[in-house]
Amino acid sequence: MMDGKLKIEEVEGVEAPPRARVDTEEAPQERRRDYLDGFLAAKPEGMAAGQPGGATYDAIIDALKDIFDPEIPVNIYDLGLIYGVEVTEDGHAVVTMTLTTPHCPVAESMPMEVELRVGAVPGVGTVDVNLVWDPPWDPMKMSDEARLELGML
């Protein structure tokens, strides 16, 4: 741009850029896959039975999903009433749970039902159920599936 005027240059065509060249005169090199050797040789680590993903832990969660709150047609796990599940290697299970309210009509029977159902899981020897009120339950603890079931989504 000179003196406020544009200089325009017309072009008839542009040469194609040179293509990448691979010399084929040399012996082709074998492709190495050593970055996968360790990964492919590794065997999957077994999950501890009492840890999330382990057989006993998952069976306990399934048992808890079979228990329904009598006032709400959603299982107690998806309802967010289960705060924690711990399982030791010798089969001792500890379930920490709450109820929707301290005045819940099943306040006395629900922990016993949890103890019976979890105790029936293969691999579980003894069960302790800890009923806690802190933190208090609120609807935000429910899973998306429970909210959908109750029409809250």
Side-chain angles (χ1 to χ4, degrees), residues 36-93:
L36 286 177
D37 286 345
F39 175 75
L40 295 174
K43 301 292 182 209
E45 293 181 20
M47 299 295 272
Q51 298 299 317
T56 305
Y57 183 91
D58 288 348
I60 290 172
I61 299 302
D62 289 341
L64 293 171
K65 287 183 177 183
D66 284 340
I67 303 171
F68 285 80
D69 186 299
E71 298 174 322
I72 306 170
V74 176
N75 69 67
I76 63 172
Y77 188 82
D78 287 333
L79 205 56
L81 298 179
I82 304 300
Y83 286 173
V85 174
E86 298 174 23
V87 185
T88 63
E89 289 185 23
D90 61 345
H92 178 74

